[in-house]
Amino acid sequence: MTAPIPRDIPDLPAISGMPAPVTSVVPATAVVAPARRPLAGTYRALVALAAAAAVVTEMVLGSPLRAFSHFSVQSSALVALVFAASARRAWSARRPLPPAVTGGTVFYAVITASVYHLLLTNAPSTFSMTVTSTGAPVAPTGWLTLTDLAFHTVIPLAVVADWLLLTRPSPPRLIHAVTWLLYPLVYLASTLGRAALVTADWPAPYLYPFLDVDRHGYKGVLGNALLLGLAFCAVALLLVVVDHLRPDPVHPRRGRPDRPDRHPENRISSPATGGLK
């Protein structure tokens, strides 16, 4: 005779020292291999070429040092480098660039266009990337008109269009937004430091009217910089939020790779009912 099996088996005590199981979610990049995207690669290569051509033209036709001291020229040079690398990755079916890099590029392009169209175009007599030998701003002509349009309008629009229509959401974290703000802060310090060290006969040492210490004093300039910094913080946070909420333009049916509740397409088994295929 065997002993009857009890109906309720008591729970066994937990073994000390054993780690608790961790729920793991396999990212979409581990299941779905990246594919070649020739359309996105071609578009990004053209944007990189246009940005590089605008930077080279501005430096050749004007003073190279003064031209590259402008924030818009530096941000366009960054666009040329980032979009060239992104185009190569799209053509060769490699992983996209990190979200901190792509998001930062979008951020700098957006604030370049915003500052120009909201602040600088309202006072054309006080700001121009083209100046005379005495530092007086003049309206750009010829090729410089095209580069001015490219720096402040065309290239930022092209960057935002690529982000919204050709780039999969890969939401950056808040720490990335803080990192993006370091570059404008360094640019402010370097601009004020350079203007303080140049000689008195240097034409127009302050490139932007809201950073002109001779006109506003350091107190006024720092106040302007604080207001711009708060606006830049808002733009950076807005980009992070939008990248978390916007749909996936590349694979809208697969879901977003960062969302654990939306699983990627299963490439191992067939979606048909029945046994393992």
Side-chain angles (χ1 to χ4, degrees), residues 163-243:
W163 177 57
L164 293 176
L165 303 178
L166 298 176
T167 304
R168 299 199 67 184
S170 183
R173 297 176 294 176
L174 290 179
I175 188 62
H176 294 153
V178 176
T179 305
W180 299 339
L181 295 171
L182 294 179
Y183 172 52
L185 184 61
V186 172
Y187 181 82
L188 171 65
S190 62
T191 298
L192 296 181
R194 180 183 62 85
L197 294 176
V198 298
T199 59
D201 57 348
W202 182 274
Y206 301 101
L207 302 180
Y208 297 97
F210 48 79
L211 297 181
D212 193 340
V213 175
D214 296 336
R215 179 182 305 174
H216 306 289
Y218 280 102
K219 184 177 180 179
V221 167
L222 293 179
N224 293 336
L226 178 60
L227 293 177
L228 285 175
L230 294 177
F232 292 170
C233 289
V235 172
L237 293 177
L238 179 62
L239 292 179
V240 172
V241 171
V242 170
D243 214 4

Side-chain angles (χ1 to χ4, degrees), residues 13-21:
I15 302 176
S16 60
M18 295 293 292

Side-chain angles (χ1 to χ4, degrees), residues 20-33:
V22 179
T23 303
S24 176
V25 178
V26 179
T29 54
V31 180
V32 182

